[in-house]
Amino acid sequence: MDNGSSLTERPQAIVSSKINRESGRLVDSKRDLPEFAVVAHSIHKRYFGGETDLEVLKGIDLEIRSGEIVAVVGPSGAGKSTLLHILGLMDEISSGDLTVLGWKVSELKKDEKDLLRNKYIGFLFQFHCLLSEFTLLENVALPLRIQGLQSSVAQEQCRELLAAVGLEKRFSHYPAQVSGGEQQRAALARAMVAQPALLICDEPTGNLDLERGEEIRDLIWRVARAHHTTVLIATHNPEIARNSDRIVPLLDGKVQQRSGL
Ligand SMILES: Nc1ncnc2c1ncn2[C@@H]1O[C@H](COP(=O)(O)OP(=O)(O)O)[C@@H](O)[C@H]1O
Ligand SMILES: [Mg+2]
């Protein structure tokens, strides 16, 4: 990363943006990043469908320090994606206590969760999810534009970040005009452009060959360490797991006591 750029500043604080219930207005107050990005106690998740009641998470206890890179491993169907969606405020828990980036999730209204997710949480999925009718630069700019940043300012920041992931010659290409590895690098730039405090990656190398997978892993580590971003990665990739600060092994909706692959 280019150390002179504003994008590489470590977020020392969070601007807590809340929507005041009476006025319906946003209330911002600055505070330090909490020691723990995630504190989960006895998280359960059930899906109800027709006659069936499927318990997918069966009492998850998890504490993740701010700045930690954690790999969530386990067989298909273990509940990795479900857990990541919940920690990314994309899905609700059925019971338990969850605090994300210092906010107690059960106390948040839907629009507050939406706002916090947009501002502080970045996502990278197995499939890049770039919008096909927008250029790479426009795709990376989307999270900033959603936050109301002017297009020219947003695009300048995006240029810096696209260059940092090696795509300085691909600004005006459309997703279909670049390779799978390049699409995923652009998706990483988009996930990081708003400088999230928490980056959630669900099988980010699952659709890439070994070499492209390594490139993405390197880039995730580089941008996350530069920004002091907490990273949660669901993965089958042993290299990713080995290089993480900690492995959380998930089996049948529970965290196993012994770590390892
Ligand atoms: N929206 C849903 N409705 C019902 N069941 C679901 C839903 N999402 C996931 N599941 C089920 O939950 C279990 C865990 O899924 P998932 O979290 O995707 O596991 P993993 O990511 O570890 O493969 C699976 O049995 C899956 O079929
Ligand atoms: Mg999954």
Side-chain angles (χ1 to χ4, degrees):
M1 301 275 306
D2 168 10
N3 283 327
S5 101
S6 59
L7 283 167
T8 59
E9 293 296 315
R10 172 187 157 170
Q12 300 285 354
I14 239 171
V15 176
S16 155
S17 308
K18 295 213 171 182
I19 297 160
N20 182 284
R21 273 151 221 251
E22 269 105 36
S23 67
R25 302 286 301 269
L26 268 177
V27 182
D28 287 340
S29 63
K30 224 172 167 203
R31 64 168 164 82
D32 289 336
L33 272 178
E35 183 183 358
F36 289 96
V38 169
V39 182
H41 287 308
S42 195
I43 298 288
H44 289 255
K45 175 68 180 176
R46 286 185 198 86
Y47 287 113
F48 302 99
E51 312 258 293
T52 58
D53 170 3
L54 182 66
E55 189 175 31
V56 177
L57 301 181
K58 301 175 179 171
I60 302 279
D61 292 308
L62 192 59
E63 291 187 341
I64 295 168
R65 286 182 184 280
S66 287
E68 218 179 354
I69 298 182
V70 172
V72 180
V73 304
S76 188
K80 303 183 296 295
S81 296
T82 303
L83 179 63
L84 260 50
H85 288 171
I86 282 171
L87 301 182
L89 310 184
M90 289 201 291
D91 203 353
E92 310 270 334
I93 56 177
S94 303
S95 64
D97 279 317
L98 178 62
T99 304
V100 174
L101 299 173
W103 289 285
K104 207 165 155 48
V105 176
S106 61
E107 292 173 358
L108 299 172
K109 293 196 299 180
K110 183 185 176 300
D111 51 356
E112 290 175 308
K113 272 189 256 185
D114 291 345
L115 183 114
L116 298 178
R117 186 174 55 244
N118 288 334
K119 256 188 120 159
Y120 302 117
I121 305 177
F123 295 93
L124 184 63
F125 298 104
Q126 178 171 0
F127 299 100
H128 56 77
C129 305
L130 298 168
L131 300 180
S132 60
E133 68 274 28
F134 290 104
T135 65
L136 295 192
L137 191 62
E138 289 163 347
N139 264 286
V140 174
L142 277 175
L144 296 181
R145 299 201 58 185
I146 288 168
Q147 286 186 24
L149 256 135
Q150 265 191 357
S151 163
S152 60
V153 179
Q155 294 213 352
E156 190 44 46
Q157 291 195 43
C158 298
R159 279 194 185 89
E160 287 179 26
L161 199 47
L162 271 171
V165 297
L167 293 173
E168 61 278 2
K169 298 210 168 74
R170 298 283 186 274
F171 291 163
S172 51
H173 285 62
Y174 289 87
Q177 297 175 318
V178 301
S179 71
E182 288 170 332
Q183 288 169 347
Q184 197 63 332
R185 281 191 264 150
L188 175 62
R190 184 184 55 182
M192 290 300 293
V193 75
Q195 299 194 50
L198 178 61
L199 175 66
I200 289 184
C201 309
D202 197 352
E203 314 261 4
T205 64
N207 195 36
L208 301 174
D209 63 39
L210 219 61
E211 208 174 315
R212 302 288 92 74
E214 285 225 335
E215 274 173 22
I216 281 292
R217 179 180 66 78
D218 268 5
L219 285 168
I220 292 172
W221 259 247
R222 212 140 45 88
V223 293
R225 295 294 193 211
H227 294 269
H228 195 70
T229 313
T230 308
V231 184
L232 278 167
I233 310 184
T235 187
H236 284 111
N237 182 328
E239 271 299 299
I240 287 196
R242 238 193 311 280
N243 282 282
S244 62
D245 296 328
R246 188 152 57 102
I247 295 173
V248 171
L250 210 60
L251 185 66
D252 193 25
K254 288 188 188 137
V255 177
Q256 287 185 295
Q257 290 312 306
R258 279 184 36 198
S259 73
L261 281 174

